Amino acid sequence: WEKTVPRELKLGSFSEDQSMIDDPARRVFSLQALTLQVSYDYKHLILFRPFLLSRKYLSVRLHDGPIESQDRSDTTIRDQLFTSALRMSSICRWQNILSILGNTTSAVQLCFQCFTAGVVLAMLALSELSSPRLSECKQGLARLIKSLEVAGSGSPLSRQSVDILMEAMHLISAEEVKELVSRAGKPAEDLRDVVSDSVTWSADSCGASDAQHAMQPDAVHGPGIWAELDLTPDESEPEILNSISLYQSLAS
């Protein structure tokens, strides 16, 4: 579906130059392109957000076999959530369009969508404090905060969303420090295990060997996984429970 979107409605077709959009017709298309891309990625977040309740579901592959390309079949739920939320944060580059959108009725919807993307990135960061993607999650959060400030034009919704996401960034930093300190006292062999796990995690996200894929959970199909996904946190995974507590406090 995304490939069928005409060039006029693709955000990448528009310049990031602040003084670019002076033609009324192109201004309308630019607003439509930005809201369309954000809404598309937002649907992915809503679809896969329930799987954040348990760490084991984040490694479930989305496809049981190759479709379109081999690497697509290796995409996990974690990958899709990360990719969609991070691409939503990329709209920060089009501040000229965001400033125009701030004066339209779409501003409230965009602020809510960006806030949701920020919550997802915060939960992913807290669930993988030692992962190579932690820095990208924090940078994505910073970009979403900037987008909220521009598009929200200081509205109560945008100010509240910015405050909450800023607190989320402080929480991530605090948990990251705790993680570093706790690992500092481990024997050298344990630290090597941590590095090895991190490298394996990164390789899986980019497409690893068949042997590594054989250890991954099955793709999402059949009634079994849905019966298991009873929206009940796994008590054996405290790092995810911390993320859920964060999410519940942000969503309340």
Side-chain angles (χ1 to χ4, degrees), residues 19 43 46 58 95 104 128 141 168 171 191 194 197 201 212 238:
S19 60
K43 296 297 183 184
I46 295 301
L58 291 178
Q95 293 194 34
T104 70
E128 295 285 349
L141 269 169
L171 177 59
L191 293 179
V194 170
D197 291 342
W201 188 94
Q212 289 173 321

Side-chain angles (χ1 to χ4, degrees), residues 145-159:
I145 290 172
K146 184 63 176 180
S147 298
L148 282 164
E149 291 176 339
V150 176
S153 301
S155 66
L157 175 62
S158 67
R159 288 199 303 270

Side-chain angles (χ1 to χ4, degrees), residues 127-237:
S127 68
E128 295 285 349
L129 289 171
S130 59
S131 77
R133 288 180 174 177
L134 178 61
S135 176
E136 293 182 82
C137 286
K138 293 190 292 186
Q139 291 172 6
L141 269 169
R143 290 193 294 268
L144 287 167
I145 290 172
K146 184 63 176 180
S147 298
L148 282 164
E149 291 176 339
V150 176
S153 301
S155 66
L157 175 62
S158 67
R159 288 199 303 270
Q160 185 180 32
S161 298
V162 167
D163 290 343
I164 293 174
L165 294 184
M166 287 289 289
E167 288 297 325
M169 290 193 72
H170 290 310
L171 177 59
I172 292 169
S173 298
E175 292 298 320
E176 185 181 8
V177 170
K178 292 179 183 178
E179 178 75 7
L180 291 172
V181 172
S182 66
R183 281 189 288 165
K186 290 184 177 181
E189 56 270 18
D190 292 342
L191 293 179
R192 285 196 295 269
D193 291 340
V194 170
V195 174
S196 177
D197 291 342
S198 178
V199 171
T200 301
W201 188 94
S202 179
D204 286 342
S205 66
C206 299
S209 64
D210 293 339
Q212 289 173 321
H213 289 156
M215 299 174 63
Q216 292 184 349
D218 293 333
V220 181
H221 62 83
I225 190 172
W226 301 109
E228 290 185 43
L229 192 63
D230 193 27
L231 297 183
T232 301
D234 189 340
E235 298 295 339
S236 65
E237 297 173 7

Side-chain angles (χ1 to χ4, degrees), residues 71-122:
D71 59 338
R72 180 79 181 277
S73 66
D74 298 328
T75 301
T76 64
I77 289 176
R78 179 195 284 111
D79 295 333
Q80 187 62 65
L81 286 169
F82 176 79
T83 299
S84 297
L86 209 61
R87 191 167 80 150
M88 288 178 68
S89 75
S90 70
I91 63 173
C92 179
R93 292 156 43 194
W94 287 272
Q95 293 194 34
N96 52 345
I97 303 178
L98 286 173
S99 60
I100 298 173
L101 187 138
N103 297 319
T104 70
T105 55
S106 298
V108 174
Q109 178 184 1
L110 182 78
C111 287
F112 180 76
Q113 291 170 331
C114 287
F115 174 72
T116 301
V119 172
V120 170
L121 283 177

Side-chain angles (χ1 to χ4, degrees), residues 1-20:
W1 176 87
E2 189 177 16
K3 292 181 179 179
T4 65
V5 176
R7 182 178 181 277
E8 292 79 7
L9 291 178
K10 290 184 177 180
L11 186 58
S13 301
F14 297 91
S15 170
E16 302 166 20
D17 183 11
Q18 293 287 334
S19 60
M20 182 275 303

